[in-house]
Amino acid sequence: MNSVIPAIHTQALSKIYDNGRGCRNITLTVGQGEAFGFLGPNGAGKSTFVKTLVGLVAASGGSGSLLGHPIDSLEARKHIGYLPELYRYPEWLSGEEVMKFHAGLLGIKGGEAKRRIRERLDEVGIGKRGSDRVKQYSKGMQQRLGLACALLGDPKLLFLDEPSSAMDPVGRREVRELLLELKKRGTTLFLNSHLMEDVETVCDRMSLMLNGDMIRSGSVEDVLKTKVRWRFKVGGFSPLILDWLREESGLSIALADPAHDAEAAWDMPVWLEADVSDENQAGLLNMLLIEQGMTLYESSMQKEKLEDWFVETVSGRDQRGERG
């Protein structure tokens, strides 16, 4: 990661619309080669901030630079790629024709344009369907086309506003794998997404916006190091053993269904939940359950760590949301 000239640097950058919406006083630094996740509820101001960075709207205050160049400069725009949240392409054009138009805007011509168009269409999974008309594409395919356009100029800095929101699970996984490959090549990624798994898998750091303000930042690694909930499906369980399990393991353990109390029948399997810091603690609890003669049918980690961080942060705060 290049620490001398940041890929993105803003100082109190703001864009306030007449209705009071937008983003306010955003100070942020993203290093070159870093993957940065930008989170927040709908209406938080994330897309406004991205549009201000890429020069689609003029800032109301503050300053910013991309790769050392002012955000409103032509030099900054030469090095970026951008996939907007709302992408629209003429439905009578083919995917290749859309790409050819964008290549012309970038000054890429002739054989070089043909080569890049073919490579990018293959890279995003469109392949030979590049000759099909846009009207024949699903929403997910159109989103792939937008990503191919964003990559056409081999950008050093790539802004992605909900890059896989229209895709099915297979498509989302393929996009994540592509983003990881781009990151490996040294491309700086700025990922605005509601999909926590994308941010968990791809990003190094992240920030959370709410009502136009950036309210929390941190590394993805630190968030994922926090305690996570495991679930254990056991047979032959008795509520009398709960206190012993807690004492022996030092963990917070409870029935997943509190309604399953001492009055309930215990001849059926039950689910236990425990907050653990690592897999070793989960293994210890597995061992203790088996030692006590219980049948351990299943144990699994609940993969909602980043989502929990998100919900915990915004919980109890006023949100203007989509309708505010």
Side-chain angles (χ1 to χ4, degrees):
M1 187 181 298
N2 189 328
S3 58
V4 178
I5 301 176
I8 303 170
H9 179 69
T10 67
Q11 185 67 42
L13 188 66
S14 301
K15 173 58 182 178
I16 308 299
Y17 295 105
D18 292 341
N19 62 2
R21 305 288 291 270
C23 59
R24 290 181 295 274
N25 299 319
I26 306 299
T27 296
L28 177 68
T29 299
V30 177
Q32 291 191 44
E34 187 175 10
F36 193 89
F38 210 50
L39 304 174
N42 288 339
K46 306 186 302 299
S47 292
T48 295
F49 181 63
V50 172
K51 289 176 182 177
T52 307
L53 288 176
V54 301
L56 288 178
V57 298
S60 304
S63 61
S65 63
L66 304 179
L67 297 163
H69 306 289
I71 56 175
D72 55 356
S73 68
L74 185 59
E75 191 62 34
R77 297 180 193 181
K78 288 181 180 178
H79 303 291
I80 67 174
Y82 173 49
L83 173 63
E85 180 181 15
L86 300 176
Y87 45 89
R88 294 291 185 271
Y89 306 109
E91 63 177 17
W92 59 88
L93 294 179
S94 69
E96 290 172 347
E97 288 169 339
V98 171
M99 293 286 286
K100 186 176 180 180
F101 174 76
H102 281 81
L105 294 176
L106 291 166
I108 307 170
K109 302 177 181 179
E112 177 65 12
K114 290 182 179 179
R115 180 187 67 80
R116 290 203 195 187
I117 288 170
R118 176 50 49 205
E119 287 180 352
R120 298 302 172 266
L121 290 175
D122 287 343
E123 199 168 31
V124 301
I126 291 179
K128 294 181 179 179
R129 289 203 61 192
S131 59
D132 291 352
R133 302 296 171 189
V134 169
K135 66 181 178 181
Q136 297 174 300
Y137 288 177
S138 65
K139 288 183 179 179
M141 286 288 286
Q142 291 185 43
Q143 198 161 35
R144 289 173 187 263
L145 178 60
L147 181 56
C149 290
L151 293 171
L152 194 56
D154 290 332
K156 297 179 181 178
L157 172 56
L158 185 60
F159 291 94
L160 301 170
D161 200 344
E162 302 290 350
S164 59
S165 59
M167 297 182 189
D168 59 25
V170 173
R172 289 197 293 270
R173 174 174 289 186
E174 290 173 351
V175 168
R176 283 197 298 271
E177 290 172 353
L178 173 57
L179 295 182
L180 288 170
E181 178 59 31
L182 291 169
K183 180 181 173 182
K184 191 183 299 183
R185 297 178 201 169
T187 305
T188 304
L189 305 175
F190 192 91
L191 179 60
N192 178 2
S193 179
H194 287 106
L195 300 173
M196 301 298 169
E197 190 172 359
D198 288 355
V199 177
E200 279 193 19
T201 304
V202 176
C203 295
D204 305 301
R205 291 191 300 128
M206 59 192 173
S207 286
L208 178 60
M209 281 196 76
L210 187 68
N211 298 337
D213 299 312
M214 195 166 70
I215 63 172
R216 193 171 178 185
S217 298
S219 75
V220 175
E221 182 181 6
D222 286 345
V223 172
L224 299 186
K225 279 181 179 178
T226 59
K227 289 187 177 181
V228 63
R229 183 151 296 183
W230 277 67
R231 286 169 60 91
F232 304 84
K233 185 179 182 180
V234 297
F237 180 79
S238 166
L240 301 176
I241 205 170
L242 260 182
D243 288 340
W244 181 85
L245 282 173
R246 292 165 180 155
E247 183 176 346
E248 288 295 313
S249 66
L251 301 174
S252 173
I253 306 170
L255 287 164
D257 181 7
H260 201 144
D261 57 20
E263 301 299 323
W266 295 97
D267 55 346
M268 299 293 291
V270 299
W271 283 96
L272 300 178
E273 290 184 340
D275 294 326
V276 306
S277 298
D278 54 48
E279 291 184 349
N280 290 331
Q281 289 186 336
L284 171 62
L285 190 49
N286 281 341
M287 182 187 71
L288 292 174
L289 291 168
I290 293 170
E291 279 185 354
Q292 293 302 307
M294 285 173 275
T295 302
L296 181 61
Y297 294 103
E298 181 182 342
S299 64
S300 60
M301 181 176 64
Q302 304 305 291
K303 297 182 179 180
E304 297 181 346
K305 292 175 280 188
L306 190 53
E307 183 173 336
D308 288 343
W309 179 85
F310 181 101
V311 172
E312 176 190 341
T313 302
V314 303
S315 179
R317 297 175 183 259
D318 291 333
Q319 299 180 46
R320 62 191 180 199
E322 297 172 317
R323 299 175 297 278

